[in-house]
Amino acid sequence: MKAKKVMLIVIAAMIAVCSVWTLFAPKDLFLDKENRPAASAPKPSVQALFDGTLTEDIEDYLIDRFPARENLMSIYAVICKAMGKTEVNGVYLCDDGYYIEEPGRDKDYGKLVNAVNALEEANPDVHFMVMTPPTAVTVLADKLPDGAYAGSQREDYQKIRASLNEDIAFIDCLPALEDAASAYQVYYRTDHHWTTYGAFAAYLELCREEGFEVPGISDYNLEDVTDSFLGTVDAKVSDPSADPDTITTIDNNVPVTVEFPGHSEETLYNSKYLTERDKYSFFLDNINDRIVITQQEPLPSAKGKTLLVIKDSYANCFVPFLTANYEKIIVLDTRYYMYGASSVIEAEGVTDCLVLYNLNTADTDTGIAGIY
Amino acid sequence: MVFSSIFFLFFFLPAFFLCYYLVPGKAKNVILLLASIIFYAWGEPKYVILLVISSVVDYINGRMMEKFDGNDRVRKIFLIVSVVINLSLLGIFKYSGLFIDTIDFIPGISINNPNLPLPIGISFFTFQTMSYSIDVYRREVKAEHNFLNYMTYVSMFPQLIAGPIVRYKDVSAELSCRKITFDLASDGFIRFGMGLFKKVIIANGIGLLWDNCLENVGSLSFASAWLGAVAFAFKIYFDFSGYSDMAIGLGKMMGFKYPENFNYPYIADSVTDFWRRWHITLSSWFKSYVYIPLGGSRKGTARTVLNLIIVWGLTGFWHGASWNYLLWGAFFAAVLILEKFVFAKIIEKTPSVVRHIVTIFLILVSWVIFAVEDFSSMGFYLKSMFTFTGGICDGFFWYSLRNYGVILIAATLLSGPLYPELRKRVKGVYWAKCIVFAVLFVISVVFLLKNTYNPFLYFRF
């Protein structure tokens, strides 16, 4: 009886503490791990009350402010692992400490292919390249838990390749990535991006395709800028025993001027992000609708060549390699750039265009609607 | 509002009980009624009106039947009014969409489907108010005079949206006067916590496996298809009985004694036995208000068969506005008729182990009919269960076993009377028991917070 009383008092106290804490938590809060602001305070209105959004907003608001939320998520991961699970919250716990997202099913890349084909037809004088790197789930498939659904990126990759216009050069990076994977870490263990080494392997393929000089990794100055990177996939799992990644950057000794919206820099990297959780944003300064990169002293081989890059975030660590090959590179994020790629091609005298989307999100990326 | 939400657990419930325990006896019903209306209105306020209509109609019917106590014709009219109104509410808000869609299949006919959202719990509260009117008509209970008490009965939030179906006569005394003791309330809380655990950890956990199987329907191997059926069987049992446990527990905390709704259904040794253990308040409702009035089994074999078909057709259809539920009911009608009239003697002589296996086999098949609303997917699924077109076993099966093995074992153990047995055998160690409970409660909250997966099943009922 005494035990029961003590237990009930303890649970009642826990409930009381949690509810008071949640109620008095700050209104503006950033959830670092999930890389998003906490749900904002619900706005009561008759309409919201009647269409049910008010109550949903209240629940979201409370959940986001629950005490020790992130630690509780870690408890969840620990319990799942203790139960022998190899999949937690849509993420596979793979060999060698890799966390790889469960792939979606029945993906349709028609929108991307149609947009690129249309853009190419509208700009027949521009040389088009398309690269759709598969993600870790395909390249590192041997690390997945036994029997785990591995998706259909291989088939999708070939389908995309086959349905592009004949004049578009498809940069076949999949074999290159698979080869490189045996020698280098080509994907982050805790993040959904490829590493600089993965991007390098794909870059070599682009060089071969385009007839550029093919460099070796020793031609670059490599620098490990952080060894404590826990990325987005880790955030989904919240596994406390996750092993952080190292971010490596390259320097190809080609001085450039980089015009970001509103300011100009001499580097493609923003080291401010290395102290934050979202460290991949170090490359190309996270999200910008338009960046223009110009060689300070145009290299003879690059002179007169202007490249337009239409891309997702996989390109952010890929673009640094390209600065050696083009006098000018314009990087568009078509999610935010509202004037369309064609207008840029015309105004800037673009000679080459690279479309780069990773296969995991190349079907749903909201930027695709802005390509053509 | 659903029980398994942060708002309910950490705000609504503490605030409610604070008020409920502080106010004196007579005012408790006012608090309970207000709380229930907020609970019901949460997310869909406009349908509170249905709850009120259903309550007012049957309150008046009850009073009228009492007033015209000597005139059976008039009493019968009021009974018919009650049944017609309640069934109309069900017909309009639950089934009209299905009927319109079905009629639209006839060439040349095209009716606009208003696509009314299903009012939560309508299947439960209309059945409760009907039971009241019928019981008053049969003079099994006295009509309630106090409208506040009556409305409280219809709307009390613990069992409002997912049962158990509480008949008025079960709680009529407690509605006007109930005792709340520490023992009862603490038992109630523990029952609630166990229900939460069953729903949030077992049901939601194993539900993911079932969803994976559904995604693969068409390419499932034999073993995976059966594993999926087992997963669904556990998911629906732990979800539904967890919800009933939570309702019964909350009822106890308020001083109500709700009827039990489940009695370890998966240890049944025949389908007849299964239905004595599964959703007991629903099957006994149909028994008292449909099967027995139709003559039950007293009017010869042919009539009994017909009665069984009617009752099980209705029971199936009650579960959702889709034709597969009717098929599901028909499946049980067929099995129950065969058990009763054809195989009764054979079953008697069959060893118990075989009876259990056959029962589980039939129940698993029935769950696939229940769970897959679309007939072509259902066909694919059943094909995987009864042929080897998708192979005998595949990687997906082993992957699922690895990922859900622990939950499957826990679910299997908890499907039998493990807990009451342990309670009987393990005396003392109160501290250990309390710590185990507290830990399970905290884990449930953790899993609840991992809210990416917390679907609520009963919006179809």
Side-chain angles (χ1 to χ4, degrees):
Chain A
M1 195 57 145
K2 193 177 154 207
K4 218 177 189 176
K5 268 187 182 151
V6 171
M7 177 197 76
L8 289 173
I9 289 168
V10 168
I11 290 181
M14 268 182 347
I15 292 177
V17 167
C18 291
S19 49
V20 170
W21 176 291
T22 305
L23 273 185
F24 291 97
K27 278 222 167 84
D28 295 311
L29 197 69
F30 191 82
L31 304 174
D32 222 20
K33 200 162 198 173
E34 283 148 283
N35 200 16
R36 65 179 175 90
S40 51
K43 291 183 195 68
S45 73
V46 176
Q47 158 140 37
L49 177 68
F50 276 89
D51 66 18
T53 50
L54 181 65
T55 54
E56 282 167 24
D57 290 349
I58 291 175
E59 180 79 5
D60 289 344
Y61 179 87
L62 297 174
I63 287 179
D64 281 357
R65 283 163 184 78
F66 202 80
R69 183 166 183 271
E70 290 184 350
N71 300 335
L72 293 176
M73 295 293 114
S74 296
I75 296 179
Y76 176 84
V78 170
I79 295 171
C80 286
K81 279 174 84 175
M83 291 196 303
K85 292 195 77 155
T86 51
E87 178 263 304
V88 175
N89 205 24
V91 174
Y92 295 132
L93 313 179
C94 304
D95 296 347
D96 306 326
Y98 278 85
Y99 299 90
I100 297 178
E101 279 175 293
E102 202 180 326
R105 285 160 205 267
D106 300 326
K107 287 177 157 265
D108 178 10
Y109 299 90
K111 251 172 47 189
L112 175 69
V113 170
N114 292 340
V116 176
N117 282 343
L119 186 65
E120 194 268 338
E121 282 156 25
N123 299 281
D125 298 334
V126 178
H127 171 59
F128 273 83
M129 295 168 277
V130 168
M131 185 151 81
T132 53
T135 59
V137 76
T138 300
V139 175
L140 304 179
D142 58 326
K143 297 192 192 298
L144 295 179
D146 290 338
Y149 175 66
S152 57
Q153 286 187 352
R154 257 168 225 287
E155 296 87 76
D156 297 335
Y157 184 82
Q158 297 305 342
K159 265 189 231 161
I160 292 174
R161 181 181 201 165
S163 43
L164 287 170
N165 288 350
E166 217 166 286
D167 291 337
I168 298 176
F170 183 80
I171 314 292
D172 187 11
C173 60
L174 174 55
L177 281 164
E178 284 179 316
D179 282 349
S182 54
Y184 299 102
Q185 186 189 339
V186 291
Y187 292 93
Y188 292 110
R189 279 181 280 103
T190 66
D191 195 66
H192 66 284
H193 291 107
W194 57 6
T195 63
T196 305
Y197 294 102
F200 178 65
Y203 171 67
L204 294 182
E205 197 53 41
L206 184 138
C207 290
R208 281 180 213 117
E209 177 74 31
E210 295 294 302
F212 299 153
E213 193 186 324
V214 179
I217 192 86
S218 54
D219 296 338
Y220 298 96
N221 299 325
L222 298 174
E223 189 192 351
D224 292 346
V225 290
T226 176
D227 57 4
S228 57
F229 174 40
L230 287 169
T232 51
V233 188
D234 165 70
K236 264 182 106 172
V237 187
S238 289
D239 183 353
S241 58
D243 194 4
D245 275 304
T246 298
I247 294 182
T248 307
T249 60
I250 57 122
D251 181 3
N252 58 4
N253 298 313
V254 180
V256 288
T257 307
V258 189
E259 291 164 55
F260 292 103
H263 61 109
S264 203
E265 308 286 339
E266 306 231 309
T267 169
L268 292 157
Y269 307 125
N270 184 347
S271 40
K272 172 189 100 176
Y273 288 106
L274 294 178
T275 55
E276 296 182 7
R277 179 171 169 99
D278 179 23
K279 294 186 171 54
Y280 185 81
S281 296
F282 170 77
F283 296 105
L284 287 198
D285 187 41
N286 197 11
I287 297 165
N288 289 289
D289 56 353
R290 179 187 160 122
I291 304 169
V292 180
I293 306 155
T294 323
Q295 292 180 348
Q296 289 175 2
E297 298 285 330
L299 297 175
S301 63
K303 205 154 172 56
K305 292 173 77 179
T306 300
L307 174 72
L308 173 67
V309 182
I310 298 170
K311 55 96 195 179
D312 64 13
S313 55
Y314 262 55
N316 290 19
C317 69
F318 184 76
V319 166
F321 291 100
L322 295 171
T323 58
N325 304 104
Y326 299 91
E327 183 180 344
K328 191 173 179 185
I329 301 174
I330 302 151
V331 183
L332 282 195
D333 189 328
T334 47
R335 286 176 298 175
Y336 304 102
Y337 188 78
M338 289 306 160
Y339 308 103
S342 281
S343 67
V344 178
I345 290 173
E346 208 169 302
E348 301 279 349
V350 168
T351 55
D352 300 83
C353 179
L354 170 66
V355 178
L356 199 171
Y357 282 92
N358 83 80
L359 274 183
N360 193 27
T361 48
D363 58 330
T364 52
D365 194 293
T366 50
I368 290 163
I371 294 177
Y372 185 74
Chain B
M1 203 184 298
V2 292
F3 292 166
S4 48
S5 68
I6 294 297
F7 181 79
F8 178 80
L9 263 184
F10 288 88
F11 296 90
F12 181 87
L13 208 56
F16 166 74
F17 275 112
L18 211 59
C19 300
Y20 187 82
Y21 286 144
L22 286 180
V23 300
K26 288 272 173 207
K28 287 195 192 318
N29 279 357
V30 179
I31 298 289
L32 177 54
L33 178 59
L34 279 176
S36 299
I37 288 174
I38 295 172
F39 180 89
Y40 191 75
W42 197 253
E44 212 167 56
K46 49 184 178 289
Y47 282 149
V48 170
I49 187 78
L50 295 184
L51 198 62
V52 175
I53 290 175
S54 191
S55 305
V56 169
V57 163
D58 288 278
Y59 173 77
I60 293 172
N61 281 328
R63 292 296 298 268
M64 286 300 150
M65 283 191 245
E66 187 181 50
K67 191 170 173 193
F68 295 97
D69 195 33
N71 189 334
D72 263 357
R73 279 186 76 123
V74 177
R75 291 179 78 242
K76 201 166 215 161
I77 288 169
F78 281 109
L79 175 68
I80 291 168
V81 167
S82 160
V83 172
V84 167
I85 290 181
N86 279 304
L87 291 182
S88 307
L89 288 179
L90 269 181
I92 294 166
F93 289 96
K94 187 171 174 181
Y95 296 105
S96 64
L98 174 71
F99 290 143
I100 290 171
D101 283 346
T102 307
I103 292 169
D104 276 349
F105 267 109
I106 303 169
I109 299 182
S110 166
I111 308 169
N112 213 0
N113 193 340
N115 284 322
L116 295 169
L118 181 69
I120 299 160
I122 190 169
S123 315
F124 291 94
F125 70 74
T126 50
F127 268 47
Q128 293 205 160
T129 55
M130 268 193 284
S131 82
Y132 166 77
S133 291
I134 299 170
D135 286 348
V136 172
Y137 175 78
R138 291 174 177 174
R139 297 199 170 86
E140 286 178 15
V141 282
K142 283 206 170 104
E144 175 67 65
H145 286 207
N146 184 330
F147 181 70
L148 172 72
N149 285 357
Y150 185 69
M151 182 87 199
T152 307
Y153 155 69
V154 177
S155 63
M156 49 192 175
F157 71 86
Q159 43 72 246
L160 177 60
I161 58 179
I165 298 167
V166 178
R167 289 191 230 180
Y168 175 74
K169 60 184 172 193
D170 295 334
V171 290
S172 59
E174 289 155 0
L175 275 168
S176 42
C177 175
R178 51 191 178 265
K179 253 207 201 115
I180 303 166
T181 64
F182 172 78
D183 261 354
L184 210 61
S186 60
D187 277 358
F189 181 73
I190 289 168
R191 183 77 186 264
F192 175 81
M194 300 305 280
L196 188 69
F197 172 80
K198 281 162 84 171
K199 156 77 187 152
V200 172
I201 298 193
I202 310 271
N204 285 3
I206 207 105
L208 291 166
L209 170 54
W210 167 248
D211 291 351
N212 285 345
C213 291
L214 267 193
E215 275 182 344
N216 287 326
V217 82
S219 66
L220 283 173
S221 72
F222 173 79
S224 299
W226 282 96
L227 186 66
V230 169
F232 184 81
F234 283 139
K235 166 182 153 141
I236 189 155
Y237 170 61
F238 285 97
D239 202 304
F240 203 175
S241 76
Y243 218 95
S244 286
D245 286 340
M246 288 190 266
I248 291 167
L250 291 174
K252 263 188 170 177
M253 290 169 78
M254 293 175 205
F256 286 103
K257 197 169 178 307
Y258 294 155
E260 290 295 332
N261 216 13
F262 291 89
N263 182 24
Y264 305 105
Y266 294 144
I267 63 168
D269 66 355
S270 68
V271 174
T272 312
D273 187 26
F274 172 76
W275 274 102
R276 285 189 204 112
R277 297 165 173 275
W278 179 274
H279 205 171
I280 300 164
T281 57
L282 179 74
S283 30
S284 68
W285 194 100
F286 274 109
K287 191 175 173 194
S288 322
Y289 301 122
V290 183
Y291 185 66
I292 291 173
L294 285 174
S297 54
R298 288 158 295 144
K299 292 191 177 173
T301 309
R303 186 59 192 265
T304 309
V305 167
L306 180 69
N307 289 347
L308 282 170
I309 291 172
I310 293 172
V311 167
W312 290 98
L314 291 175
T315 304
F317 215 32
W318 179 89
H319 283 82
S322 174
W323 295 116
N324 67 307
Y325 297 109
L326 193 64
L327 181 65
W328 181 72
F331 174 86
F332 276 118
V335 172
L336 291 167
I337 289 164
L338 290 175
E339 273 190 2
K340 206 175 168 94
F341 296 109
V342 182
F343 297 117
K345 290 233 168 73
I346 301 174
I347 291 171
E348 250 173 60
K349 286 182 210 144
T350 311
S352 160
V353 184
V354 178
R355 287 209 307 254
H356 283 285
I357 291 172
V358 172
T359 306
I360 291 288
F361 166 83
L362 291 168
I363 290 166
L364 289 179
V365 173
S366 88
W367 283 139
V368 173
I369 302 173
F370 183 93
V372 191
E373 282 185 8
D374 156 45
F375 280 100
S376 88
S377 302
M378 188 198 296
F380 274 122
Y381 202 103
L382 290 171
K383 200 174 157 200
S384 305
M385 288 171 82
F386 292 101
T387 66
F388 297 138
T389 44
I392 295 174
C393 193
D394 54 4
F396 174 75
F397 174 78
W398 297 111
Y399 172 78
S400 304
L401 217 53
R402 162 85 201 253
N403 272 278
Y404 299 96
V406 173
I407 297 186
L408 282 165
I409 292 168
T412 309
L413 293 176
L414 291 173
S415 292
L418 174 76
Y419 177 63
E421 277 301 309
L422 280 179
R423 255 177 88 148
K424 243 188 278 167
R425 299 206 181 162
V426 185
K427 301 270 185 223
V429 290
Y430 296 112
W431 286 101
K433 286 181 192 165
C434 287
I435 289 169
V436 168
F437 176 79
V439 167
L440 290 182
F441 186 79
V442 171
I443 293 178
S444 303
V445 172
V446 168
F447 274 58
L448 197 56
L449 269 173
K450 196 80 193 177
N451 215 5
T452 50
Y453 191 81
N454 186 23
F456 182 64
L457 287 178
Y458 300 104
F459 290 142
R460 293 286 299 178
F461 289 7

